[in-house]
Amino acid sequence: TVQICRTPLVKDCNIQGPEVCRTEYESECWTKQEVHDVQDDVVDCTTEIEEKCEDETSGYTTNTKCKKWPREVCSVSKKNVKKYTPITGCTKEPRELCAPAGCGFSQGQEECYDKTQTIVQDAPKEQCSLEPQRTCKHVTKLVPKLSPQEECVDVPKEVCTRSRTNPRKVKKPVIKKWCYIPSEESGLA
């Protein structure tokens, strides 16, 4: 059901004469309400009394003093509501007007009435969906390269020699150089 309003053209005559007819086009406008289901935030608030008590010692007596104050506690909830959007459209409707010759037409009072009619119109509605998209790119990473390197350690060794004249032990340190290459076999790599 739509409400249709039009401003008709009316005869403006003071003289009688032969009737002359012509087709005039009047604007006929309609308004209809489009309903939307929406989720609205509804705030619900209550006042709660907060209380804090403390013990006060005066001499040998202890008194409990309490303080009270109001506190506003609110919660937000979702509620399904209907909202209306007015949609207006106009069409030019032909009207045959007849009046005696020499008469003109003037705009009359606006007339409105309810009419049930089928209105065909495009109602574009946007629908979106998320589609994942894979993006690949080359990344350069630094990788450490290990190569075995020779490591040397000086190991002191005691060497004893026999001499025939006046035999006695003489300590002479001999430095030997030991070199090894770390490998999986030796368990050092």
Side-chain angles (χ1 to χ4, degrees), residues 142-150 181-184 188-189:
L142 290 173
V143 179
K145 185 184 175 195
L146 300 173
S147 57
Q149 197 172 354
E150 191 180 86
I181 294 171
S183 67
E184 281 187 30
L188 297 168

Side-chain angles (χ1 to χ4, degrees), residues 15-61:
I15 348 163
Q16 292 290 325
E19 272 207 334
V20 177
C21 295
R22 72 168 188 242
T23 304
E24 290 284 332
Y25 289 89
E26 294 175 355
S27 288
E28 209 172 72
C29 295
W30 48 265
T31 302
K32 78 166 193 164
Q33 304 291 333
E34 188 173 337
V35 184
H36 303 284
D37 286 322
V38 241
Q39 268 199 344
D40 243 356
D41 287 338
V42 178
V43 180
D44 185 34
C45 291
T46 55
T47 304
E48 291 182 1
I49 302 296
E50 195 97 350
E51 186 177 14
K52 186 181 180 184
C53 296
E54 286 178 346
D55 287 339
E56 274 187 3
T57 307
S58 173
Y60 293 110
T61 58

Side-chain angles (χ1 to χ4, degrees), residues 23-187:
T23 304
E24 290 284 332
Y25 289 89
E26 294 175 355
S27 288
E28 209 172 72
C29 295
W30 48 265
T31 302
K32 78 166 193 164
Q33 304 291 333
E34 188 173 337
V35 184
H36 303 284
D37 286 322
V38 241
Q39 268 199 344
D40 243 356
D41 287 338
V42 178
V43 180
D44 185 34
C45 291
T46 55
T47 304
E48 291 182 1
I49 302 296
E50 195 97 350
E51 186 177 14
K52 186 181 180 184
C53 296
E54 286 178 346
D55 287 339
E56 274 187 3
T57 307
S58 173
Y60 293 110
T61 58
T62 303
N63 294 327
T64 304
K65 281 201 173 177
C66 294
K67 289 180 185 173
K68 290 184 182 183
W69 63 91
R71 186 170 69 103
E72 197 87 351
V73 178
C74 295
S75 65
V76 178
S77 61
K78 299 267 185 203
K79 187 180 179 185
N80 287 332
V81 291
K82 288 188 186 300
K83 293 215 173 170
Y84 297 90
T85 308
I87 295 172
T88 305
C90 290
T91 52
K92 290 274 188 187
E93 293 293 327
R95 295 271 184 263
E96 192 174 16
L97 300 171
C98 297
C103 289
F105 295 102
S106 65
Q107 294 241 334
Q109 287 284 332
E110 186 182 53
E111 298 171 356
C112 291
Y113 60 94
D114 286 339
K115 181 180 176 184
T116 303
Q117 66 181 42
T118 307
I119 297 161
V120 178
Q121 63 181 35
D122 290 335
K125 296 216 174 165
E126 191 175 14
Q127 223 174 7
C128 301
S129 65
L130 290 174
E131 289 182 18
Q133 189 176 352
R134 180 182 282 189
T135 307
C136 300
K137 59 180 179 180
H138 288 288
V139 177
T140 308
K141 272 191 179 178
L142 290 173
V143 179
K145 185 184 175 195
L146 300 173
S147 57
Q149 197 172 354
E150 191 180 86
E151 255 183 66
C152 297
V153 181
D154 288 334
V155 180
K157 188 180 180 185
E158 187 179 289
V159 176
C160 300
T161 53
R162 287 184 191 199
S163 62
R164 293 184 184 176
T165 55
N166 239 351
R168 61 191 163 100
K169 274 190 181 178
V170 178
K171 283 189 183 177
K172 285 186 184 175
V174 174
I175 304 294
K176 258 196 180 179
K177 197 173 203 175
W178 288 77
C179 297
Y180 64 90
I181 294 171
S183 67
E184 281 187 30
E185 283 177 26
S186 64

